[in-house]
Amino acid sequence: MMMGTLSTFNPAELWPLLPELVMVTGTFALLVLDLFVSPRRNGIVHALGFVLLLAVAALCVAGCGGHGTVLNGMFVRDTLADLMKGGILLASALAFVYAWPFLRERGLYKGEITLLMLFATLGMMLLVSAGSLVMVYLGLEMLALSSYALVVTDRDSPVASEAGMKYFVLGALASGMLLFGMSLIYGATGTLDLAQINASAQGGGAHCDLLLAGTVFVVAGIAFKFGAAPFHMWLPDVYQGAATPITLFIGSAPKIAALGMALRLLDGGLSPVSDRWHVMVAALSALSLIVGNFAALMQTNLRRMLAYSTVSHVGFLLMGVAGGGAEGNAAALFYALIYAVTSAAAFGLITLMARKGFEADEIDDYKGLASRQPLMAALILGVMASLAGVPPFIGFFAKLTVIEGALNGGLLWLAIVGIICAVVGAFYYLRVIKVMYFDQPVEGAHPMLAHDEGGVKWLFMVNAGLLLVLSIFLQPLMAWCRSAFGA
């Protein structure tokens, strides 16, 4: 029987896996190369990792290998997967560039960091192409285990160690909940394949109560990976404790992967019970909006403020998922892609302004910046305005699309909560702008000067500029997102 199975295997069926195959081959090649490269020249591995990310992104965007379902339905390659992978790979590439000067200046860079970031990216790619519960868990754990290790990059920092331990313990708990939910779904339907789970639930062949119980645990697991309230406890400590470039990496690309996981599990596998999980997702969205925005109001540390604001942005993202349908899902996808670019710029500015012994992560550190560096202040103003949702920046249109998605899904109350919380959230972003333009520098404070090692300043200028330029291409971008859902 085994020989018969092997004899019918057609290697051409693996063509849809081409980006993943290139990614894993390149990562293992860099793993071997790192063994032979002198520590003084380990930037070579990091640079090659950056090139690998761009090459794989080109394969995804160009659709090389074609679309299809392979590995007995475990892996799905479609327009949605390609679009998400492109966003994940480009966000990861941004993190690579921001990370290099920051980590090297502090003596924190090791080749393992590059490899862990690549393996985390590979996990995200598998996650958004999952056609089976097995592939979902494989991609998720590859991402999670790599992220735990990245958070404790600075092993001499007690804050980083504490953050890594909290992340690991709470992450293990969330993974357990997700796995338990998957086991209940398997018990209810008798299959691990998401398409077959959908068919079984649609045809009445599933045990309804068991399926709903599994759905509750799956939604809870997804909420943790998003950092949605009330499963956000790990997020502020991790964002503040990890090295800033690691926070940038964790806070951008994985949000796209988490959306991919949610869409594959909920919309792809559990759509017959969507009337139940839509209510849960809408509740998570509202709670995240309220908790995230009001908690961020009280923060004086910029990274911690951005962490709580991430919770509120997750609320907006889930608003699109709760709205449902092609329009709601396309709006959520658009929001995730835009937020990844904006989040990279937000943490990139901290990376750019920081020095060894000065992390530039307190809001008061930016007092009077406009008088010393007007260009940097203007760029930071653009980043904060986009996060706040001020037109004509792309963040405004991202919020508008998910609110429209909620309205199309009949969730008027959630759209109202979103609008109110957007107004509340504007306050703490505007506070950063006020500090830069209207406050005087603290006497004796560390001078705030952007440095341009490795072209990071130019990258930040492009990254921040995109938040305005992308508004011009709003309609083509939204059309691209809608095409992923056949709309």
Side-chain angles (χ1 to χ4, degrees):
M1 189 69 169
M2 179 67 73
M3 292 299 293
T5 303
L6 291 174
S7 64
T8 59
F9 172 71
N10 182 7
E13 293 179 358
L14 295 180
W15 272 111
L17 277 162
L18 181 62
E20 283 74 16
L21 292 175
V22 172
M23 186 71 176
V24 73
T25 303
T27 303
F28 276 110
L30 291 178
L31 177 62
V32 175
L33 178 64
D34 185 55
L35 297 174
F36 300 99
V37 173
S38 166
R40 289 177 298 177
R41 304 182 65 184
N42 53 15
I44 295 173
V45 175
H46 197 73
L48 289 175
F50 173 74
V51 172
L52 176 63
L53 289 170
L54 293 183
V56 177
L59 291 176
C60 292
V61 174
C64 294
H67 294 167
T69 303
V70 295
L71 303 179
N72 293 324
M74 290 179 64
F75 184 92
V76 179
R77 175 96 182 270
D78 53 16
T79 304
L80 174 62
D82 280 348
L83 187 52
M84 285 189 156
K85 288 174 191 176
I88 287 168
L89 289 158
L90 291 176
S92 299
L94 281 175
F96 263 61
V97 180
Y98 282 123
W100 170 244
F102 184 98
L103 297 176
R104 190 181 69 170
E105 182 184 21
R106 290 158 178 76
L108 296 176
Y109 181 77
K110 300 289 187 295
E112 292 86 346
I113 294 176
T114 296
L115 297 167
L116 285 169
M117 292 173 76
L118 290 174
F119 278 119
T121 305
L122 178 61
M124 289 185 260
M125 293 173 68
L126 295 176
L127 198 55
V128 300
S129 280
S132 164
L133 296 178
V134 175
M135 188 62 75
V136 169
Y137 201 72
L138 175 65
L140 182 62
E141 288 308 297
M142 187 177 290
L143 167 61
L145 294 174
S146 300
S147 300
Y148 301 153
L150 285 169
V151 169
V152 291
T153 296
D154 188 359
R155 288 174 289 183
D156 296 327
S157 169
V159 179
S161 299
E162 180 186 352
M165 183 58 67
K166 287 180 179 178
Y167 194 17
F168 175 74
V169 172
L170 293 173
L173 178 63
S175 296
M177 285 194 298
L178 187 65
L179 191 59
F180 182 61
M182 290 177 177
S183 66
L184 292 178
I185 292 172
Y186 174 73
T189 60
T191 180
L192 296 170
D193 186 273
L194 291 174
Q196 293 179 23
I197 289 171
N198 193 314
S200 178
Q202 189 76 45
H207 192 288
C208 186
D209 292 340
L210 202 57
L211 183 65
L212 291 176
T215 302
V216 171
F217 281 99
V218 164
V219 170
I222 291 171
F224 177 89
K225 297 305 176 184
F226 266 119
F231 303 96
H232 66 289
M233 299 81 68
W234 61 275
L235 202 141
D237 289 330
V238 170
Y239 275 36
Q240 185 179 9
T244 306
I246 304 303
T247 302
L248 188 158
F249 178 71
I250 294 173
S252 54
K255 295 297 180 282
I256 304 174
L259 176 63
M261 178 177 69
L263 293 175
R264 296 295 184 192
L265 283 172
L266 299 179
D267 206 54
L270 298 169
S271 59
V273 291
S274 60
D275 56 326
R276 307 296 181 88
W277 61 254
H278 273 301
V279 175
M280 291 185 277
V281 172
L284 287 170
S285 173
L287 194 58
S288 298
L289 287 166
I290 295 168
V291 171
N293 280 299
F294 283 95
L297 288 173
M298 299 179 287
Q299 306 305 315
T300 57
N301 181 278
L302 184 56
R303 283 207 276 173
R304 204 167 182 87
M305 185 203 84
L306 290 172
Y308 280 110
S309 80
T310 297
V311 178
S312 72
H313 285 289
V314 167
F316 279 109
L317 196 155
L318 292 176
M319 189 185 297
V321 178
E327 285 296 323
N329 290 338
L333 175 58
F334 179 72
Y335 197 96
L337 294 172
I338 296 304
Y339 178 71
V341 177
T342 312
S343 178
F347 288 104
L349 74 89
I350 301 175
T351 303
L352 187 63
M353 305 302 290
R355 296 289 188 281
K356 187 175 182 180
F358 174 68
E359 296 304 320
D361 59 354
E362 294 293 332
I363 294 176
D364 285 348
D365 291 336
Y366 294 81
K367 285 185 174 181
L369 181 65
S371 62
R372 297 192 302 273
Q373 295 197 77
L375 175 60
M376 283 302 302
L379 293 172
I380 295 171
L381 182 150
V383 173
M384 293 299 153
S386 185
L387 285 168
V390 176
F393 293 96
I394 193 66
F396 168 77
F397 299 103
K399 283 185 170 66
L400 186 63
T401 55
V402 291
I403 289 172
E404 288 177 352
L407 290 172
N408 292 335
L411 296 172
L412 175 62
W413 67 272
L414 184 58
I416 293 172
V417 171
I419 293 169
I420 294 172
C421 288
V423 174
V424 173
F427 175 81
Y428 51 83
Y429 294 121
L430 292 175
R431 184 173 60 186
V432 178
I433 298 172
K434 174 257 183 188
V435 161
M436 290 192 302
Y437 281 90
F438 299 104
D439 288 7
Q440 295 299 316
V442 177
E443 194 171 330
H446 197 290
M448 292 287 287
L449 297 171
H451 56 117
D452 190 25
E453 186 178 357
V456 176
K457 184 177 180 180
W458 290 102
L459 174 68
F460 176 69
M461 291 172 65
V462 173
N463 195 175
L466 278 175
L467 303 181
L468 185 60
V469 173
L470 286 175
S471 300
I472 303 171
F473 303 98
L474 174 66
Q475 292 305 322
L477 287 172
M478 272 305 299
W480 199 9
C481 291
R482 290 190 186 101
S483 69
F485 300 95

